[in-house]
Amino acid sequence: MKPGADPADPADHPARVLIVDDEIHNRQLLEVMLAPEGFDLATAASGEEAVALVALQPPDLILLDVMMSGMDGYQVAKRIKGDLATKQIPIILLSALHDRDAMMLGLAAGAEDFLTKPVHRGELGMRVRNLLRLKAYGDYFDKSSTKLREQVEELGIERDLRERFVSILAHDLRGPLSAAKMSAELMMRRTEPDDRRRDLAVRIERNLERMDRMIRDLLDVSRVRGGQRLPLRLEDCDLGAVAQEVIEELSATHGNRLELAPGGGVVRGIWSHEDLHRALWNLGTNAVKYGQSDRPITIRVERTASGVRASVHNFGNPIP
């Protein structure tokens, strides 16, 4: 369809209308009435023939006579509306019966509209155009929804492939990273405490450890998105020592801006050393990034009435 085109415009794609009546004169009369509308008209002389034609080439709308020998209009409507492939085709029932019960039976069978004979040409054209327009819009948005679902599925596949690639890459990176860490440890063992190369090796090891944690974070994200639970490795842990490790690592990169508040001492418990380290490191990194560069950043570890508290404080504009 051209951009901006009306999906229900007959000039864009002429609608196919099936006329079903066992009287040839009635079929011919309806064809004469609808011919000026520019529809693609087809006819069926019985309910059985109509069902077969609909299965072979579904029309956009069906004009269906109620009183026919063999399958009547109600039966045909129920058959068409009971099939998922054809249930969206609008049906207008035509009948010489004027009572309300006949109309209710038609609507119960699934028909969208009901006209009594003799049919007025203007009313017939208006009813047919309105239902065709509604169906065309429905078909258009159904196709759009289907396309959108396909795009979402494609994005989901792309995301899964990307996450799988990240997971594989993270695993592969840990090999050379471990080798580099071993080399840094070997340098520290083979140098004297006052050797400047030893300080360099210490910095290398600390930054390699940061890289290792970042890779573990990527793997954790991959596990979470894959529906797995993160392993929690609990152990006897000194929270004060964890805070001091974070300060030393961040100071190696950002200078001596971080300090451990006095009075914390040794605070032991059964915790996850790795996850506490990660939490304090993230908070410390944010403090370095958003805090005032000329003011200290303080990590505080303290006991409270209900447990233990670890906090990171920096000066600067507060977060809203």
Side-chain angles (χ1 to χ4, degrees):
M1 180 178 296
K2 297 176 182 178
D6 186 343
D9 185 1
D12 192 44
H13 46 83
R16 179 178 173 81
V17 177
L18 176 61
I19 299 170
V20 186
D21 198 305
D22 57 355
E23 294 289 338
I24 186 172
H25 299 295
N26 291 337
R27 296 197 301 272
Q28 291 174 343
L29 177 61
L30 292 171
E31 284 185 283
V32 170
M33 288 183 175
L34 292 175
E37 301 287 345
F39 300 135
D40 178 13
L41 300 175
T43 62
S46 67
E48 291 82 0
E49 184 184 357
V51 171
L53 285 174
V54 170
L56 183 64
Q57 187 177 5
D60 294 300
L61 182 140
I62 301 173
L63 289 173
L64 181 58
D65 184 39
V66 172
M67 304 303 294
M68 295 186 295
S69 57
M71 290 181 66
D72 62 24
Y74 301 134
Q75 293 172 317
V76 174
K78 286 182 180 179
R79 178 77 67 85
I80 293 171
K81 293 297 185 178
D83 188 336
L84 287 175
T86 57
K87 66 180 297 184
Q88 300 301 328
I89 300 174
I91 296 175
I92 300 177
L93 286 176
L94 305 174
S95 175
L97 302 175
H98 293 270
D99 60 289
R100 183 177 179 82
D101 290 342
M103 181 182 297
M104 294 305 295
L105 284 172
L107 296 176
E112 278 73 17
D113 210 341
F114 193 95
L115 286 173
T116 56
K117 296 178 180 180
V119 177
H120 184 270
R121 177 175 177 176
E123 184 179 9
L124 174 66
M126 180 187 68
R127 300 282 186 94
V128 169
R129 287 193 301 271
N130 287 343
L131 284 177
L132 284 173
R133 186 172 294 275
L134 288 174
K135 180 181 183 297
Y137 278 119
D139 292 346
Y140 176 74
F141 288 113
D142 283 345
K143 290 178 182 177
S144 298
S145 299
T146 300
K147 186 175 181 180
L148 181 60
R149 284 194 298 271
E150 291 174 351
Q151 290 175 340
V152 170
E153 291 175 0
E154 290 175 0
L155 288 173
I157 293 172
E158 181 183 344
R159 181 200 62 198
D160 292 341
L161 290 174
R162 184 171 59 249
E163 290 178 0
R164 189 178 303 175
F165 170 76
V166 169
S167 178
I168 293 172
L169 178 64
H171 277 291
D172 290 347
L173 283 173
R174 299 194 74 178
L177 188 63
S178 297
K181 289 171 67 176
M182 291 177 62
S183 299
E185 291 175 3
L186 188 61
M187 285 178 61
M188 287 188 291
R189 291 175 187 173
R190 293 185 175 180
T191 53
E192 299 297 328
D194 58 348
D195 193 330
R196 292 183 60 184
R197 289 177 297 177
R198 182 181 180 85
D199 293 336
L200 181 61
V202 170
R203 290 194 179 189
I204 291 173
E205 185 186 38
R206 286 175 177 172
N207 282 282
L208 288 172
E209 183 62 35
R210 287 178 57 199
M211 290 178 62
D212 193 28
R213 282 198 302 273
M214 293 169 68
I215 291 173
R216 290 200 296 270
D217 288 345
L218 285 174
L219 291 173
D220 286 346
V221 170
S222 180
R223 292 191 189 101
V224 169
R225 290 181 174 174
Q228 301 178 26
R229 293 191 174 188
L230 296 181
L232 190 62
R233 291 173 281 273
L234 299 177
E235 56 188 334
D236 181 52
C237 176
D238 179 4
L239 186 56
V242 174
Q244 187 61 48
E245 288 176 12
V246 171
I247 289 173
E248 290 175 3
E249 290 180 12
L250 292 177
S251 296
T253 306
H254 303 287
N256 297 322
R257 293 180 56 190
L258 288 91
E259 60 185 21
L260 183 64
V266 177
V267 182
R268 307 198 72 87
I270 305 300
W271 300 308
S272 170
H273 180 286
E274 180 180 344
D275 291 318
L276 286 173
H277 190 288
R278 179 188 301 176
L280 289 176
W281 191 88
N282 286 335
L283 290 172
T285 302
N286 284 339
V288 170
K289 184 176 181 180
Y290 298 107
Q292 287 181 280
S293 59
D294 59 343
R295 302 294 297 274
I297 297 167
T298 304
I299 297 182
R300 185 180 302 277
V301 176
E302 55 189 337
R303 294 188 179 276
T304 66
S306 58
V308 175
R309 178 187 295 117
S311 59
V312 178
H313 180 266
N314 64 280
F315 295 89
N317 294 326
I319 298 174

